Amino acid sequence: MSDEAAGRRPSIRDVARLADVSHQTVSRVINNHPSIRPETRERVLQVMSDLQYRPNRAARALVTSRSQTIGILSSSSTQYGPASSIAAIEAAARERGYWVSTANIEPRDPSSIAAGLAHLMAQSVEGLVVIAPQMRVFRALAAQPLDIPYVTLQSTELDPTHALSVDQMAGARLATRHLIELGHRHIYHLAGPQDWIEAEGRMRGFLEEMSASDIPTTAPILGDWTAEFGYYAGRELLRVRDFTAVFSSNDQMALGLIHAIRDEGLDVPGDISIVGFDDIPESAHFWPPLTTVRQDFAELGRRCVDVLLGPLGDSAPVPATIVPELLVRSSTSAPQPL
C-alpha cells in the first residue's frame, strides 16, 4: 500500500474490495436494504469495522433523499429546561438511528431566526423541533412557513396544532394547591421573565389556583431565572414580612430565596415555605431539600421523536401535553402565625 493510500480515509470501494462485493452492495448494507443476505451483511459490516469506515452522511443523503437528522431550533439552550429537552431529544433520536443538529438563535434578532432555519434546512433535516420560549420567535416563525414535519415545545395560540409541551399551568396549580392545602393564605409568586411562555403559564396557573380558593393575591414579582435574583427578591420581600410561602417559577430562584431567608435568621420551612419548579438535579440537595414540580424530559424527548418520525410499533397517538408531577420534600410545612 502506498503512503498516500495509508494516509487517506477508507472509502466505500476499499470496503467493497476487501469484502469481495460490489460498492453497490456495500451501499445497500449501509442503507439496510432487505435484499442483502445475512452472511453478506455480516461480512461487509466486519470489514467496515476493521477499516473504521464511516459512511459519508452528506453523500448518503443525496442518494437516499434522507439525512437521518432532526433539527432543533433553540433560543435558550443554556437554561436547564431547554438544555434538558435537547438532551432528551438527542437520546430518543439515537435510539431511532437519527442524529440531531442544533441551531442556537438570538430571539431578539429576526435575522438570526431566519439564519438558524436556513442552516438546518441546508442539512436536509427530516423534522424540526422548536425550543423557543419567547413569543417573538413564534411570530417570526409564522412568517416563514415550514415544509417539513415540525413540533414546538411551547404551546401558543400562534401555532397550537404543532405544540407538544409540558402543561405549565397544571404544574403551577399543583405547587400552589400544595401550599394552600398546608394552610397558607399569604403566598407570593416569584415569576420568570415576562416574555417567556413557560413563565406566563406558571404565573397564570398560580393566579387561577389562588382565585379558585378565593384567596387574594399580590402582583407576581418578575424575575430572570437566576439564584442571584431570587436572593435579591427575598431580601426585598423580607423588609415587610407579610407572607408565609413563596412559589418560585424555577428552582434556581428558589435557591436564592432560601439563602436570603436564612441570612435574615429565619427558617425554611418553619417560618417560610418555598416551592420551586423544574426539579433540577441539585434541588434534592438544597438545604432543606426543595419541594418542586418535576418535568419528565425523557418522555418529552421520546414523544417529540415519535411525532416527527411516527411512533414505533402499535403505539397509541402521542398526546399533546405532559402533566408534570409535584415532588414534596422538606421545604414546605404548615404556616406559623405572622
Side-chain angles (χ1 to χ4, degrees):
M1 183 180 292
S2 68
D3 291 342
E4 180 182 359
R8 65 176 174 82
R9 295 178 60 183
S11 70
I12 192 170
R13 294 187 182 277
D14 294 326
V15 176
R17 177 173 51 81
L18 292 175
D20 195 24
V21 296
S22 68
H23 71 272
Q24 292 93 337
T25 297
V26 177
S27 179
R28 292 188 184 101
V29 170
I30 292 170
N31 290 296
N32 296 314
H33 198 282
S35 68
I36 302 299
R37 290 192 301 241
E39 58 270 25
T40 302
R41 184 185 307 277
E42 289 300 319
R43 188 166 74 252
V44 170
L45 290 174
Q46 183 60 54
V47 171
M48 289 172 61
S49 176
D50 293 342
L51 293 178
Q52 296 185 334
Y53 171 73
R54 298 292 180 269
N56 185 317
R57 293 178 64 238
R60 180 180 173 186
L62 287 174
V63 173
T64 64
S65 299
R66 299 184 66 186
S67 65
Q68 298 290 112
T69 303
I70 292 172
I72 297 178
L73 190 72
S74 173
S75 65
S76 307
S77 59
T78 59
Q79 295 292 336
Y80 175 76
S84 298
S85 297
I86 291 171
I89 294 164
E90 289 176 340
R94 280 196 302 271
E95 291 180 0
R96 303 284 289 270
Y98 274 68
W99 298 89
V100 167
S101 178
T102 301
N104 290 298
I105 59 173
E106 168 49 60
R108 290 169 292 189
D109 180 6
S111 65
S112 173
I113 301 169
L117 281 173
H119 172 73
L120 295 173
M121 294 304 115
Q123 299 177 54
S124 300
V125 295
E126 295 182 38
L128 178 69
V129 183
V130 180
I131 306 177
Q134 299 87 2
M135 284 298 297
R136 63 174 71 95
V137 177
F138 283 83
R139 295 189 187 98
L141 287 173
Q144 302 183 53
L146 299 171
D147 58 1
I148 59 171
Y150 72 96
V151 61
T152 69
L153 293 198
Q154 284 76 32
S155 180
T156 76
E157 295 177 355
L158 289 175
D159 196 355
T161 60
H162 291 92
L164 170 62
S165 60
V166 174
D167 192 333
Q168 306 294 329
M169 287 183 61
R173 295 195 71 156
L174 284 172
T176 309
R177 188 180 310 136
H178 171 66
L179 293 171
I180 292 171
E181 289 176 347
L182 287 172
H184 292 277
R185 295 297 181 269
H186 305 281
I187 307 169
Y188 276 106
H189 177 45
L190 182 52
Q194 190 171 19
D195 61 339
W196 277 60
I197 296 166
E198 284 94 340
E200 176 69 18
R202 294 171 196 178
M203 182 168 63
R204 287 175 58 192
F206 165 77
L207 293 172
E208 288 190 7
E209 191 63 32
M210 293 287 280
S211 177
S213 298
D214 199 24
I215 299 175
T217 60
T218 57
I221 303 155
L222 300 181
D224 65 2
W225 298 133
T226 67
E228 184 68 24
F229 186 90
Y231 180 79
Y232 167 79
R235 294 299 297 265
E236 291 298 309
L237 288 173
L238 289 168
R239 293 178 184 275
V240 181
R241 191 182 154 200
D242 58 353
F243 61 99
T244 61
V246 179
F247 165 43
S248 172
S249 196
N250 78 334
D251 292 346
Q252 285 93 339
M253 290 192 297
L255 175 61
L257 281 168
I258 293 171
H259 184 187
I261 292 166
R262 290 198 176 280
D263 271 3
E264 287 294 311
L266 300 173
D267 180 65
V268 177
D271 295 302
I272 299 169
S273 289
I274 303 291
V275 180
F277 203 110
D278 280 337
D279 188 32
I280 63 174
E282 298 82 5
S283 65
H285 306 286
F286 288 3
W287 189 251
L290 184 66
T291 295
T292 186
V293 177
R294 177 178 181 269
Q295 305 184 72
D296 191 341
F297 290 108
E299 177 68 6
L300 186 65
R302 184 192 67 78
R303 292 194 191 183
C304 273
V305 174
D306 283 351
V307 167
L308 296 176
L309 305 182
L312 287 172
D314 297 323
S315 300
V318 180
T321 58
I322 297 174
V323 178
E325 171 190 8
L326 179 70
L327 300 179
V328 178
R329 297 189 179 118
S330 306
S331 66
T332 52
S333 68
Q336 298 296 318
L338 286 173

